[in-house]
Amino acid sequence: MSIQLEGTDRASTPSPRFSQDINGLRAMAVLVVMLFHFGVPGLRSGFVGVDIFFVISGCLMTGIIVRRIEAGRFSLIDFYVERARRIVPALLVLCVVLFLVGWFVLLPSEFRRMGKQIASSAVFASNLLFWRQSGYFDEGSHEKWLLHTWSLAVEWQFYLLYPLLLVALRRVFGAARMGLALAVVAVLCFALAVVGADRWPTSAFYLLPFRAWEMLAGGLVVLFPFPLGRAGARWVQAGGLTLLAIGFAVVGVETPWPGWLALLPVGGTALVIWSAWERSSLLGHPAAQFLGTVSYSVYLWHWPVEVALRRFESGILATPSVHIATGLALSLTIAGLSYRWVERPARRLGRSGAATRGGLLRRDVLQFGAASLAIALLGAGVWKLQGAPWRFSDTVQIADGEATDGDPYGPRCFSTFGPALPPCRIGADGPARVLLIGDSHALAIATALAAAAPSGDRGAGGVQFQGYASCPTVQGVTYGVHSELKCFDFNRTYLDPLTEGGASQVPLVVTNYWSSYLEASGLKFAGRDASGADPQPFSIDGYRQRFETTMCALARRRPVYVTLPFPEFTEHVPRTMALRLMRDPHAPDMTLPVGDYRQHNAQVIGWMQAASVHCGIHLLDPVPYLCPDGLCRGSLNGRPLYTDRHHLSEFGNRLLVPMFQQVFVGGSERPRASPSVS
């Protein structure tokens, strides 16, 4: 049976050579992605829908390129313009709509981030932007309106390079061996992906070299056709659908991706396409065909709908079932409008140009290029102008601006992944007066600790700081030797030496986001050889034991001060406070009952109190400074004390300066009153 190859990357209009099985796969892919993002219970693997799209894309592009090369009419410019005509208009319309939404409703800090995303998405570089930021599944992902465009960027980068690769392979190896040469490239890319998913998971998820094998797998289906017959085609398609079902069942967000298990959705999709069986009651169902037809617009719009619902919903809309139903209804409705008024008209544009080439084709190139550049410059302008803060009152600007009032030493002092940066000096020069080690919570209070040093003492130095993201100051913890988080190496380099050697009178302050590690995904314990190469499963009791062992080892060498956990809010403090001030300029400050704080942190506080008794460490309690009168402050006189939910801002950390003063005079203070911030 022949494989029907005409179509587009993620959406197509029916034609005499239209392929129902591929269209049904599109529907399956976008459906699982959409349900996964809207939080349908039990669906942990919906992100593999993107892998299905990649295989389809590789199949269709290979068919188009090879067929035209064999006919002697392949044009690189034609190919690029056709791809742009199908992808660019709907994407740019989405960017413009989001810009307008952002202008009228988003706070400056939010609008500024959106501007950067718009700029990178318009030029198909958003995968590079999100690669440098935090992970796809992290808490902040629902604040990234265009996070899903990373896959479009990967596909476009593939489109730019793939025709050149096929032409080169054909010239070097000839038409007969081009398929075998491409298979070798695919195997090498797959091996890179397997290694990368384990060693560099963020890079493997977002970057083309680790994803190329999935698209090449689709291309191999085209280059190695095989007549199956009616019965064979049905069985092959059934096998492909079975692999897809197994993939949906066994893959989860914790699965290294795209590693070995990615063979399930990729292989399953390839088999379904290879079968070319178009009488499937599942893939050929009218509902599947409709969803497949509008799949590109559904994919484009569903994630901004999800982000908007999370950002603005309240009351009954916040209940999971209503949230899911509303998200699906809005996504399908907007996608239908986008398909009708943007996708279809855009495909009709320039058809005569494709036929006559010449001036009309050059016009298309200029139009698509100019439109993408204009939208990119629009987004970059929003970023450069700090999100247009003049749209709001001064009080709202101050509250929202606190989201960026933190970590002034972060870029040169704090490691977020990879090898650790060298120690950093904060405050006065000269021999360090105090050592500070920890994670991002330590970075958030570093300047407050430096400000607590006594003034007028000639020759007195400042704070020597070593920090690493998501890394507890506990010996023997690891994320694995191949993880991008080199916590084990950081502690071995900077923590272990503090437990060895002679005594010192230079005090050490240890500050962590302690409670977060009780449920830290991926955290393990180093093996018996203490090399980190043979990690053991993480456990709460093991964490407690290693914490106390580490604190005792440190306390035998020098004075050790450990900060108790900082209050943690359930809402993003600057954004919530700014929104409240928009509605009411005299809105009350955000607070948290101190009882809730103690209950949330009871376990780790108990560990610290035990370590204080057994090891002699000093505990620094932020409650008297941040929680006067039984209420922990999230803001003070309308100005947030945090940059997010739990990181103190530069304004907020000044409340702790008196607490840190005891580090320089010795002992553990028992304050009776809360200071104020001027």
Side-chain angles (χ1 to χ4, degrees):
M1 300 182 69
S2 62
I3 298 174
Q4 308 297 330
L5 293 172
E6 279 295 343
T8 67
D9 35 27
R10 289 199 183 175
S12 65
T13 51
S15 69
R17 296 175 61 81
F18 177 71
S19 176
Q20 284 192 340
D21 55 342
I22 291 179
N23 207 42
L25 284 171
R26 289 193 190 100
M28 179 185 297
V30 80
L31 181 63
V32 296
V33 168
M34 187 166 50
L35 295 179
F36 171 68
H37 284 157
F38 285 131
V40 173
L43 184 59
R44 304 164 51 250
S45 57
F47 59 91
V48 304
V50 171
D51 303 86
I52 298 175
F53 276 132
F54 283 162
V55 179
I56 294 173
S57 185
C59 169
L60 297 175
M61 296 310 103
T62 303
I64 291 171
I65 295 168
V66 171
R67 190 165 54 249
R68 292 180 183 178
I69 290 176
E70 291 176 346
R73 58 183 181 87
F74 177 73
S75 164
L76 197 62
I77 298 299
D78 280 359
F79 178 78
Y80 290 157
V81 170
E82 289 170 3
R83 305 281 66 74
R85 189 178 295 129
R86 287 158 171 79
I87 296 176
V88 171
L91 174 63
L92 295 188
V93 168
L94 171 66
C95 290
V96 170
V97 171
L98 290 182
F99 171 84
L100 294 175
V101 171
W103 178 270
F104 288 107
V105 303
L106 292 187
L107 295 166
S109 62
E110 298 173 308
F111 195 35
R112 183 172 185 259
R113 290 193 296 271
M114 176 187 279
K116 194 172 187 179
Q117 295 168 30
I118 288 174
S120 62
S121 297
V123 295
F124 296 99
S126 58
N127 64 322
L128 303 178
L129 171 66
F130 297 124
W131 167 55
R132 299 304 301 174
Q133 296 176 352
S134 50
Y136 183 79
F137 305 107
D138 68 44
E139 177 184 348
S141 63
H142 282 89
E143 299 176 6
K144 300 171 184 175
W145 291 80
L146 289 164
L147 175 61
H148 63 314
T149 63
W150 74 269
S151 65
L152 301 181
V154 169
E155 285 196 25
W156 185 258
Q157 293 157 17
F158 177 76
Y159 296 159
L160 292 178
L161 299 175
Y162 190 49
L164 304 177
L165 174 64
L166 287 181
V167 170
L169 293 179
R170 186 180 178 91
R171 289 182 178 179
V172 173
F173 298 100
R177 294 186 177 88
M178 182 180 68
L180 290 176
L182 191 68
V184 172
V185 175
V187 170
L188 292 175
C189 289
F190 173 66
L192 178 65
V194 171
V195 174
D198 186 39
R199 297 193 177 190
W200 318 290
T202 304
S203 301
F205 192 91
Y206 282 113
L207 301 185
L208 174 62
F210 304 93
R211 291 288 191 166
W213 72 276
E214 298 179 310
M215 289 169 272
L216 295 178
L220 294 176
V221 173
V222 177
L223 296 177
F224 292 96
F226 187 80
L228 297 172
R230 179 180 299 230
R234 293 180 64 179
W235 280 106
V236 169
Q237 184 178 96
L241 292 175
T242 300
L243 288 180
L244 285 168
I246 295 172
F248 294 146
V250 303
V251 172
V253 296
E254 73 285 349
T255 305
W257 204 258
W260 286 103
L261 286 178
L263 286 171
L264 292 171
V266 172
T269 303
L271 287 177
V272 171
I273 298 174
W274 192 47
S275 74
W277 179 254
E278 297 197 37
R279 299 182 182 180
S280 168
S281 59
L282 174 65
L283 300 179
H285 192 279
Q289 291 301 300
F290 167 77
L291 188 57
T293 300
V294 299
S295 58
Y296 177 49
S297 283
V298 172
Y299 184 83
L300 276 182
W301 284 98
H302 86 281
W303 180 252
V305 167
E306 164 67 1
V307 174
L309 288 176
R310 296 254 184 171
R311 172 65 169 72
F312 300 112
E313 71 183 357
S314 61
I316 190 172
L317 284 177
T319 59
S321 58
V322 177
H323 173 96
I324 295 169
T326 303
L328 292 174
L330 286 175
S331 298
L332 294 174
T333 300
I334 299 174
L337 295 174
S338 172
Y339 177 75
R340 171 66 179 83
W341 298 105
V342 180
E343 278 196 75
R344 289 177 62 185
R347 292 176 191 177
R348 290 193 292 267
L349 290 175
R351 284 184 177 175
S352 58
T356 62
R357 309 166 74 94
L360 289 175
L361 186 60
R362 288 192 293 271
R363 184 198 66 186
D364 284 349
V365 173
L366 292 175
Q367 285 179 340
F368 288 128
S372 296
L373 181 60
I375 299 302
L377 291 175
L378 182 67
V382 172
W383 170 261
K384 187 69 175 178
L385 294 173
Q386 304 296 314
W390 60 83
R391 296 172 295 134
F392 298 94
S393 67
D394 291 343
T395 55
V396 172
Q397 290 184 45
I398 291 172
D400 178 65
E402 207 64 24
T404 57
D405 182 29
D407 310 342
Y409 291 90
R412 69 180 181 89
C413 296
F414 189 70
S415 305
T416 55
F417 66 93
L421 294 171
C424 183
R425 183 59 59 84
I426 299 174
D429 294 328
R433 286 288 302 272
V434 63
L435 308 180
L436 173 64
I437 190 169
D439 56 16
S440 58
H441 276 207
L443 177 63
I445 55 85
T447 56
L449 179 60
S455 59
D457 186 0
R458 291 189 176 184
V463 175
Q464 179 172 301
F465 172 58
Q466 294 105 5
Y468 202 102
S470 302
C471 184
T473 308
V474 175
Q475 291 179 299
V477 295
T478 179
Y479 288 95
V481 293
H482 299 315
S483 171
E484 292 173 307
L485 289 173
K486 302 301 181 183
C487 178
F488 181 81
D489 294 339
F490 171 80
N491 282 336
R492 186 165 54 180
T493 302
Y494 295 116
L495 177 62
D496 289 0
L498 297 177
T499 67
E500 303 163 353
S504 171
Q505 292 305 308
V506 178
L508 171 69
V509 176
V510 182
T511 302
N512 280 201
Y513 184 15
W514 298 109
S515 61
S516 68
Y517 301 115
L518 298 178
E519 300 177 355
S521 176
L523 199 62
K524 304 177 181 67
F525 297 133
R528 294 173 181 171
D529 61 354
S531 68
D534 182 27
Q536 305 300 312
F538 179 82
S539 68
I540 300 299
D541 188 58
Y543 179 35
R544 178 192 61 77
Q545 293 177 10
R546 283 168 172 77
F547 168 80
E548 184 166 314
T549 299
T550 302
M551 294 302 111
C552 287
L554 291 170
R556 284 193 290 268
R557 301 294 188 274
R558 66 182 66 243
V560 176
Y561 293 81
V562 179
T563 56
L564 269 63
F566 301 134
E568 178 179 351
F569 288 77
T570 58
E571 298 175 296
H572 190 283
V573 177
R575 179 171 62 236
T576 303
M577 198 64 214
L579 293 174
R580 289 184 181 182
L581 290 169
M582 285 174 60
R583 295 188 293 265
D584 178 9
H586 305 289
D589 284 316
M590 292 182 64
T591 58
L592 172 75
V594 71
D596 292 354
Y597 158 80
R598 296 194 187 282
Q599 181 179 3
H600 178 70
N601 294 285
Q603 192 170 22
V604 292
I605 290 176
W607 297 355
M608 294 177 181
Q609 291 171 339
S612 178
V613 173
H614 299 154
C615 310
I617 64 173
H618 304 283
L619 301 182
L620 300 174
D621 187 0
V623 166
Y625 302 91
L626 300 178
C627 309
D629 305 321
L631 292 175
C632 298
R633 295 167 170 167
S635 59
L636 182 63
N637 299 325
R639 184 171 179 178
L641 302 178
Y642 294 79
T643 60
D644 49 24
R645 295 190 306 107
H646 51 81
H647 289 95
L648 287 166
S649 68
E650 288 299 292
F651 174 71
N653 74 21
R654 288 306 183 268
L655 287 170
L656 298 181
V657 170
M659 181 187 78
F660 287 123
Q661 287 174 348
Q662 64 189 285
V663 174
F664 298 91
V665 299
S668 56
E669 187 182 46
R670 293 290 184 266
R672 298 179 180 177
S674 173
S676 61
V677 174
S678 58

